[in-house]
């Protein structure tokens, strides 16, 4: 479980320092806003909706060695309903957060096994730029 007291302390510090770091932080908030404005778990064209929702994530989900966005979009194109169900579970607050994240990673492992690409990874893991926390 999340230590609410520690989280509250971090959030308080972040809010206090935020105005002096707005120019550096602005793109993160724009990425969140884009995600919120475009996210629709029930979208008929789930892969297109996912790509549009993640379109402003830039270096948040992609670096020279980390392709979180590219891979989740690839898997959505291969099996839209499986990726949709992964996000449904990920955002189900009736399930413990650790279980949700572990489930997302486990299903990503299965998609990697089925769709590859061979010798690659899916980049859907906790060490990748907080890639599961956009909502």
């Amino acid at each position: 479980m999340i230590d609410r007291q520690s989280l509250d302390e971090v959030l308080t510090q972040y809010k206090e320092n935020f105005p002096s770091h707005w120019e550096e932080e602005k793109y993160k908030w724009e990425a969140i806003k884009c995600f919120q404005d475009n996210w629709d778990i029930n979208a008929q064209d789930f892969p297109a909706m996912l790509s549009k929702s993640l379109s402003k994530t830039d270096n948040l989900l992609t670096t020279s060695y980390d392709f979180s966005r590219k891979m989740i979009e690839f898997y959505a194109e291969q099996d839209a309903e499986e990726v949709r169900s992964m996000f449904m579970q990920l955002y189900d607050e009736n399930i413990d957060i650790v279980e949700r994240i572990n489930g997302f990673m486990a299903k990503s492992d299965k998609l990697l096994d089925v769709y590859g690409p061979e010798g690659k990874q899916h980049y859907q893991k906790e060490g990748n730029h907080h890639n599961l926390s956009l909502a």
Side-chain angles (χ1 to χ4, degrees):
M1 291 301 286
I2 295 175
D3 179 345
R4 296 300 291 182
Q5 183 177 355
S6 294
L7 178 61
D8 288 343
E9 290 172 14
V10 169
L11 289 174
T12 298
Q13 291 174 3
Y14 182 81
K15 289 176 186 178
E16 288 172 0
N17 293 318
F18 187 77
S20 63
H21 295 286
W22 171 244
E23 286 306 315
E24 299 138 19
E25 297 291 309
K26 182 172 132 178
Y27 77 99
K28 295 174 186 175
W29 290 93
E30 289 171 343
I32 292 168
K33 178 75 169 128
C34 178
F35 182 85
Q36 291 172 334
D37 287 349
N38 293 289
W39 183 255
D40 177 7
I41 195 71
N42 298 311
Q44 185 172 352
D45 186 349
F46 185 82
M49 179 281 301
L50 180 63
S51 290
K52 189 172 183 180
S53 295
L54 300 177
S55 65
K56 294 201 178 220
T57 58
D58 299 326
N59 72 332
L60 297 171
L61 296 180
T62 303
T63 67
S64 61
Y65 58 87
D66 183 331
F67 307 98
S68 304
R69 176 180 163 197
K70 181 179 177 182
M71 293 309 296
I72 199 65
E73 288 175 344
F74 171 75
Y75 292 135
E77 290 170 6
Q78 305 309 306
D79 191 343
E81 293 312 311
E82 179 63 13
V83 175
R84 182 191 316 265
S85 75
M86 290 166 61
F87 278 99
M88 290 176 84
Q89 181 182 3
L90 182 64
Y91 295 136
D92 184 347
E93 294 182 355
N94 295 313
I95 303 170
D96 178 72
I97 185 69
V98 173
E99 185 179 333
R100 290 185 269 159
I101 293 170
N102 287 338
F104 195 95
M105 291 186 298
K107 288 183 178 183
S108 295
D109 288 339
K110 289 180 182 177
L111 289 170
L112 179 63
D113 289 343
V114 173
Y115 300 108
E118 188 175 327
K120 300 287 184 177
Q121 60 173 305
H122 52 66
Y123 299 95
Q124 308 305 313
K125 54 188 178 183
E126 67 274 304
N128 291 28
H129 303 291
H130 313 291
N131 55 346
L132 303 178
S133 61
L134 282 176

